[in-house]
């Protein structure tokens, strides 16, 4: 049988397709959406979000019935998205009083929420303990002392879980690793011994309900999850021996990966070193097998297993539509300027890769290599890494022998592909679609350079499409200023 290589590998059955050479999202024409709601525009797919929720719940509960999926709301705390996930049967992870507030407005009960954070404030602790939150994941001894004081003041028992440091490297880059003592998160083994002693000495005010670990984001190595499971199994057994009551749950955190492109061919023009971070074979079925199953087998049916997926629930649930507002030729190549830069898509600033296609010419072949940039008055607002490219050039100028290691230097220092492939006819006014932008986007927008935040629409075949975030306006720029 011959392998058929699709010319348009970004197409995803029932979700991303084309008609009349224009992009369709769940059957809705992307260009029509931009004409109706303006650009830049986030388009969330209710069907895709529901699919993701169903997929993780089915796979995880199939191997362990007492699994609770607490969506990490910092990945997307839009009210409509939170409500949709609540209706799908998800629980919630929050990491601030603000997220706790939004979650309650979306209809989540405190008893279905867990609270994370490294610097929880007294006011936040009062709110969550007063409301009877399911668990506070304690990050330090200083925090535990605060919780004890607040619980005493309110005359309530606080339900706490300890964030441990499993000393496991995970996450696509150093800044995205959260499971080692070089990161800022969690408590050392010695600190935990002290924490458990304090908890047991204060049974009226504190109850140890669980242990918690979270080791990074976009972890594409299944071995990392196996190591995490092994570590937690040992650790939970040790803790259980010291407790006069059974531990209610083990929280495995999030960090589950998603593909940032639908197929390998999408990376044809992209330096190969991106593929490792942005392509993964790990899906919820494999995680069920390698993470949930060993935990359940070792710890038994009674234990509740909590996971806190953020990115993997929403990243492929949205695309960003952005118009080309300007065009130049440089070094014999076109440079196109979009109306969305890092003030709309903050992860661009971190060098994150998002696949692009021309929504106005969706069926054209991508034959033209282009430089792509955002609109901000900042040289790093580009869909290529000018600083990384400059650093490699500087190093080689400084030490010419490094030229033979150019590929290694680029792998470490350059965080974006230098060129994007788009149709030859790409022109002013075309709408470019950036895929897989659903995570860490809406909440990270800023008004830098006096720009207005983008609107978001939810395409929902069941309940009808609607705006779920209004576009920023000039008057929003004044919302916080006092003169
Ligand atoms: C951010 C975060 C998550 C979610 O991480 P993803 O990589 O988006 O899945 C889960 N748990 C904690 C404690 C977090 O800080």
């Amino acid at each position: 049988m011959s392998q058929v290589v699709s010319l348009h590998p970004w197409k995803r059955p029932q979700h991303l397709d084309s008609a009349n050479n224009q992009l369709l999202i769940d059957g809705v024409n992307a260009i029509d959406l931009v004409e109706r709601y303006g650009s830049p525009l986030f388009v969330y797919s209710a069907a895709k979000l529901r699919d993701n929720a169903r997929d993780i719940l089915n796979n995880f509960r199939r191997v362990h019935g007492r699994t609770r999926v607490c969506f990490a709301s910092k990945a997307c705390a839009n009210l409509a998205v939170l409500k949709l996930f609540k209706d799908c049967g998800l629980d919630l992870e929050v990491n601030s009083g603000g997220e706790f507030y939004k979650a309650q407005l979306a209809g989540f009960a405190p008893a279905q929420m867990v609270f994370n954070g490294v610097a929880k404030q007294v006011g936040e602790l009062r709110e969550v303990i007063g409301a009877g939150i399911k668990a506070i994941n304690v990050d330090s001894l200083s925090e535990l002392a605060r919780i004890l004081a607040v619980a005493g003041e309110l005359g309530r028992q606080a339900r706490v879980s300890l964030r441990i440091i499993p000393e496991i490297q995970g996450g696509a880059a150093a800044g995205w690793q959260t499971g080692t003592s070089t990161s800022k998160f969690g408590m050392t083994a010695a600190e935990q011994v002290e924490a458990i002693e304090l908890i047991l000495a204060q049974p009226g005010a504190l109850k140890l309900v669980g242990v918690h670990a979270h080791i990074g984001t976009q972890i594409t190595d299944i071995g990392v999850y196996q190591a995490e499971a092994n570590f937690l199994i040992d650790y939970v057994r040790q803790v259980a021996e010291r407790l006069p009551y059974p531990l209610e749950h083990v929280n495995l955190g999030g960090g589950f990966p998603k593909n940032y492109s639908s197929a390998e061919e999408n990376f044809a023009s992209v330096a190969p070193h991106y593929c490792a971070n942005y392509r993964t074979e790990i899906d919820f079925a494999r995680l069920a097998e390698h993470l949930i199953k060993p935990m359940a087998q070792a710890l038994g049916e009674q234990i509740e297993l909590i996971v806190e997926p953020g990115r993997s629930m929403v990243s492929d649930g949205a695309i960003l539509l952005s118009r080309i507002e300007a065009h130049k030729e440089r070094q014999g190549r076109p440079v196109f300027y979009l109306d969305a830069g890092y003030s709309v898509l903050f992860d661009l600033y971190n060098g994150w890769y998002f696949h692009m296609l021309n929504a106005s010419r969706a069926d054209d072949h991508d034959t033209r290599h282009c430089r792509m940039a955002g609109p901000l008055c900042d040289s790093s607002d580009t869909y290529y890494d000018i600083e990384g490219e400059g650093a490699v050039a500087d190093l080689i100028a400084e030490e010419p022998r490094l030229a033979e290691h150019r590929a290694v230097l680029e792998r470490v220092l350059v965080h974006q592909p230098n060129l994007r492939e788009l149709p030859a006819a790409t022109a002013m006014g075309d709408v470019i679609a950036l895929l897989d932008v659903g995570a860490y986007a809406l909440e990270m927008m800023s008004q830098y350079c006096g720009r207005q935040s983008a609107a978001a629409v939810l395409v929902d075949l069941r309940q009808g499409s609607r705006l779920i975030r209004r576009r920023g306006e000039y008057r929003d720029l004044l919302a916080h200023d006092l003169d």
Side-chain angles (χ1 to χ4, degrees):
M1 211 171 72
S2 69
Q3 186 90 19
V4 179
V5 177
S6 161
L7 280 170
H8 301 291
W10 51 265
K11 289 190 179 178
R12 298 176 192 175
Q14 266 112 60
H15 177 40
L16 298 181
D17 205 343
S18 62
N20 303 324
N21 209 17
Q22 297 183 331
L23 174 67
L24 299 183
I25 303 151
D26 295 351
V28 178
N29 184 296
I31 310 303
D32 289 349
L33 285 173
V34 165
E35 271 156 21
R36 176 152 178 218
Y37 296 106
S39 173
L41 180 69
F42 284 93
V43 184
Y44 277 77
S45 159
K48 191 78 198 149
L49 297 175
R50 289 192 190 106
D51 266 1
N52 286 343
R54 201 175 309 126
D55 189 25
I56 191 168
L57 285 170
N58 288 348
N59 275 294
F60 285 15
R61 288 190 175 156
R62 183 170 43 77
V63 298
H64 186 66
R66 294 176 60 97
T67 303
R68 197 181 272 259
V69 177
C70 293
F71 170 58
S73 62
K74 76 175 185 288
C76 182
N78 177 275
L79 221 46
V81 172
L82 293 180
K83 283 182 178 166
L84 182 148
F85 277 156
K86 191 186 77 61
D87 291 344
C88 291
L90 298 189
D91 298 292
L92 208 70
E93 183 268 351
V94 297
N95 80 106
S96 67
E99 285 185 355
F100 184 63
Y101 164 77
K102 271 189 114 171
Q104 287 176 291
L105 286 179
F108 286 94
Q112 55 180 150
M113 288 191 253
V114 295
F115 182 28
N116 278 304
V118 290
K120 301 182 188 79
Q121 296 174 355
V122 171
E124 294 173 320
L125 291 170
R126 277 195 191 114
E127 286 157 22
V128 300
I129 294 168
I133 199 163
K134 180 176 174 66
I136 303 171
N137 294 331
V138 182
D139 201 82
S140 66
L141 288 167
S142 66
E143 179 185 325
L144 190 60
R146 271 193 172 175
I147 293 171
L148 178 59
V150 170
E153 169 197 311
L154 298 178
R156 300 283 297 246
Q157 188 193 47
R159 298 167 52 80
V160 299
S161 167
L162 301 180
R163 176 148 182 180
I164 61 174
I165 304 175
E167 295 297 351
I168 294 168
Q169 308 256 334
W176 307 335
Q177 298 189 347
T178 56
T180 65
S181 45
T182 53
S183 90
K184 67 176 186 177
F185 300 98
M187 283 192 269
T188 63
E191 287 164 351
Q192 305 228 2
V193 169
E194 212 176 306
I196 292 172
E197 277 168 16
L198 178 66
I199 293 165
L200 293 181
Q202 299 285 346
L206 300 172
K207 179 165 191 205
L208 184 63
V209 292
V211 298
H212 173 237
H214 171 67
I215 49 184
T217 193
Q218 185 71 3
I219 301 166
T220 54
D221 174 358
I222 196 77
V224 169
Y225 301 102
Q226 291 166 324
E228 184 192 7
N230 289 338
F231 178 92
L232 280 170
I233 289 165
D234 272 355
Y235 185 76
V236 167
R237 285 182 173 147
Q238 284 170 38
V239 171
E241 275 172 24
R242 316 182 49 182
L243 289 186
Y245 45 77
L247 212 53
E248 293 177 20
H249 70 245
V250 183
N251 184 331
L252 309 164
F256 309 149
K258 263 284 163 80
N259 278 315
Y260 273 77
S261 190
S262 39
E264 196 156 4
E265 305 91 274
N266 273 342
F267 288 94
S269 67
V270 173
H273 55 263
Y274 295 105
C275 300
N277 281 351
Y278 299 118
R279 287 201 66 243
T280 180
E281 306 284 308
I282 298 177
D283 55 13
F284 293 137
R286 278 192 82 198
L287 285 164
E289 201 58 31
H290 295 282
L291 181 65
I292 305 298
K293 196 180 213 172
M295 298 283 313
Q297 282 176 346
L299 300 175
E301 267 173 31
Q302 281 315 304
I303 197 94
E304 183 175 59
L305 297 179
I306 295 177
V307 287
E308 303 170 332
R311 179 185 303 286
S312 54
M313 303 304 295
V314 284
S315 60
D316 60 359
I319 68 164
L320 174 64
L321 300 174
S322 176
R323 259 198 211 284
I324 295 177
E325 292 284 352
H327 168 227
K328 286 177 192 166
E329 292 283 326
R330 285 288 181 273
Q331 286 95 38
R333 296 200 191 284
V335 186
F336 289 108
Y337 296 77
L338 301 180
D339 61 9
Y342 72 69
S343 65
V344 170
L345 199 52
F346 180 74
D347 268 343
L348 179 61
Y349 192 81
N350 293 326
W352 200 272
Y353 171 83
F354 297 99
H355 189 72
M356 272 185 200
L357 63 106
N358 190 330
S360 304
R361 304 170 199 278
D363 286 325
D364 285 11
H365 297 179
D366 293 332
T367 54
R368 198 169 187 200
H369 286 91
C370 313
R371 284 281 225 189
M372 303 301 288
L376 304 177
C377 283
D378 178 336
S379 59
S380 57
D381 184 45
T382 51
Y383 293 87
Y384 54 88
D385 182 359
I386 192 75
E387 280 156 17
E389 290 174 14
V392 171
D394 287 351
L395 281 166
I396 291 172
E398 191 73 25
E399 179 48 76
R401 281 177 301 173
L402 286 175
E404 64 185 278
H405 300 296
R406 180 183 286 274
V408 175
L409 293 176
E410 285 179 347
R411 184 157 65 235
V412 176
L413 296 171
V414 183
H415 293 275
Q416 283 275 306
N418 56 353
L419 297 167
R420 300 302 188 103
E421 281 184 343
L422 289 173
T426 299
M428 291 285 290
D430 282 3
V431 174
I432 300 297
L434 290 120
L435 305 189
D436 307 304
V437 299
Y440 302 106
L442 296 189
E443 280 70 32
M444 307 272 278
M445 281 194 277
S446 76
Q447 301 183 329
Y448 181 49
C449 287
R451 296 234 151 223
Q452 287 74 60
S453 63
V457 72
L458 181 72
V459 172
D460 188 344
L461 302 177
R462 222 186 272 174
Q463 294 172 11
S465 304
R466 65 187 195 279
L467 207 58
I468 57 168
R469 188 183 204 284
R470 74 160 170 85
R471 183 173 304 287
E473 298 171 10
Y474 282 170
R475 67 185 160 93
D476 295 325
L477 299 175
L478 306 175
H480 300 281
D481 291 6
L482 304 169
D483 62 6

